Amino acid sequence: MMFLHVMMMVSVLSGGSAEVVRDFREKCADIFANGASPTILPGHQYRQICQTLKNKVYFATLYDTDNKIPVYSAYKFNKKIKCDRKHIWCIEPQLDNPGEGPNMVPHHSRKSSNQAVNDDYKKSDFDKGHLIPVYMASSQDCSDATFTLTNAAPQNRNFNRGQWRILEEKIAKELTERCLSKKNTAYIVTGVVPGKHKIKRKVNVPSNFWTAYCCLDHTKECQISRGFIGSDRKITHDNITVNELETRLENLYKVKSFQLFIVISVFFAISLLTLD
Ligand SMILES: *[C@@H]1O[C@H](CO)[C@@H](O)[C@H](O)[C@H]1NC(C)=O
């Protein structure tokens, strides 16, 4: 006689997306590990954006219209190619007028009260620091799509062009060698925590930059995952577990629970063969 007990524990996160949607799941669930986004912070200022260029979604952003910076951007990393940096920054038209089209549009002189614009950064000493980096883009359109102001936050120039860039390169290498090579899927979430200062009394200068990845295998579990968090100037807590990062983010965002990746744990408890 053989007994086979299969116990399946599925823990699904609560909570819930350039196209502004009520719920990321309407248009871009596949950007996220197991179809679920990181925690959506409570509050009316947050908008879910499925970042759309030429009618194709490339990544997703939770945007804070009060602070005029993202909370996080999430991306499915498939491969990277070398792309041109055209530096044509876009805005998300639907943040100001829900009647606008789904695509991000190049920002010229259009005024905007719900999001940061190029002028806000001018003469500010800060870079428009990309959350989803150009470096990990899988096509030129994908690279162009990262140049949207809702995917950027004021970042110290030396940090952006120094340690943070090096970290992005290390993560891309790590995921290429240890995840993509095994035909697994790599999910990346990068975010910021609002700080005490604003530029032009409008755009918040984040106190922290953080990023995390999860490499999902066919069992829907994170086979490898890491988290990284730094102050606005340097990586202070390099390389921690995703759990540790979540705990730190709960404190920083002042929320009870902050989850980065949906965890589907499947425990197969197989009671061994019992022979009569
Ligand atoms: C982070 O730490 C892990 C485990 O110690 C290591 O395998 C990995 O290469 C490190 N990654 C980075 C980007 O430093």
Side-chain angles (χ1 to χ4, degrees):
M1 234 169 47
M2 191 204 280
F3 296 100
L4 180 73
H5 298 287
V6 179
M7 245 170 56
M8 203 174 192
M9 277 181 43
V10 182
S11 69
V12 180
L13 299 190
S14 60
S17 124
E19 182 156 24
V20 180
V21 291
R22 259 179 310 125
D23 189 311
F24 284 129
R25 283 172 294 190
E26 288 171 22
K27 294 266 163 81
C28 54
D30 70 319
I31 299 287
F32 305 106
N34 292 319
S37 74
T39 300
I40 308 287
L41 297 178
H44 294 299
Q45 72 268 39
Y46 302 107
R47 297 285 184 283
Q48 301 179 43
I49 307 173
C50 293
Q51 298 278 13
T52 308
L53 180 70
K54 301 182 187 164
N55 297 313
K56 189 168 173 215
V57 177
Y58 288 97
F59 60 99
T61 298
L62 180 67
Y63 192 72
D64 176 344
T65 56
D66 281 353
N67 287 308
K68 319 280 189 286
I69 50 173
V71 179
Y72 54 74
S73 283
Y75 179 56
K76 190 153 84 173
F77 177 53
N78 312 307
K79 64 169 183 198
K80 70 175 192 59
I81 62 162
K82 198 156 171 23
C83 298
D84 294 334
R85 291 170 181 260
K86 296 189 193 152
H87 292 281
I88 301 171
W89 284 91
C90 292
I91 59 161
E92 175 45 57
Q94 294 186 334
L95 283 180
D96 290 294
N97 179 1
E100 300 260 357
N103 293 298
M104 55 180 77
V105 297
H107 170 59
H108 300 300
S109 58
R110 206 195 278 244
K111 280 218 160 82
S112 178
S113 50
N114 288 328
Q115 60 196 307
V117 294
N118 283 327
D119 273 356
D120 298 324
Y121 282 84
K122 254 182 211 148
K123 300 192 187 131
S124 76
D125 290 337
F126 290 97
D127 274 357
K128 289 184 273 235
H130 277 82
L131 270 64
I132 296 306
V134 181
Y135 188 76
M136 293 191 196
S138 59
S139 65
Q140 185 62 49
D141 279 346
C142 177
S143 159
D144 294 347
T146 67
F147 283 90
T148 186
L149 280 133
T150 54
N151 179 49
Q155 190 175 26
N156 177 283
R157 217 155 267 173
N158 298 326
F159 179 44
N160 185 25
R161 300 175 192 189
Q163 284 195 54
W164 189 253
R165 184 184 55 85
I166 293 167
L167 176 63
E168 286 168 350
E169 293 173 5
K170 274 190 190 161
I171 290 175
K173 184 165 183 278
E174 209 157 289
L175 287 172
T176 305
E177 289 171 359
R178 294 174 57 196
C179 181
L180 304 185
S181 64
K182 296 181 180 159
K183 304 255 182 297
N184 290 331
T185 315
Y187 296 88
I188 297 179
V189 184
T190 300
V192 296
V193 177
K196 292 201 172 77
H197 305 287
K198 287 189 171 173
I199 47 179
K200 308 231 166 111
R201 292 202 201 144
K202 181 177 172 193
V203 185
N204 188 289
V205 179
S207 58
N208 302 84
F209 275 71
W210 54 265
T211 186
Y213 67 75
C214 156
C215 173
L216 218 62
D217 63 13
H218 63 282
T219 68
K220 307 289 181 207
E221 286 193 82
C222 292
Q223 185 206 60
I224 53 168
S225 62
R226 294 307 284 177
F228 306 83
I229 184 163
S231 72
D232 65 338
R233 286 166 190 277
K234 62 182 198 299
I235 300 285
T236 48
H237 292 267
D238 207 354
N239 213 338
I240 53 182
T241 65
V242 166
N243 276 341
E244 281 171 66
L245 178 59
E246 287 171 338
T247 305
R248 284 180 56 91
L249 293 176
E250 283 162 10
N251 293 327
L252 289 164
Y253 291 126
K254 301 183 177 65
V255 289
K256 279 213 182 85
S257 161
F258 194 85
Q259 286 190 278
L260 288 161
F261 302 106
I262 185 176
V263 185
I264 296 187
S265 325
V266 183
F267 296 104
F268 291 100
I270 303 175
S271 72
L272 293 172
L273 308 179
T274 315
L275 299 167
D276 293 356

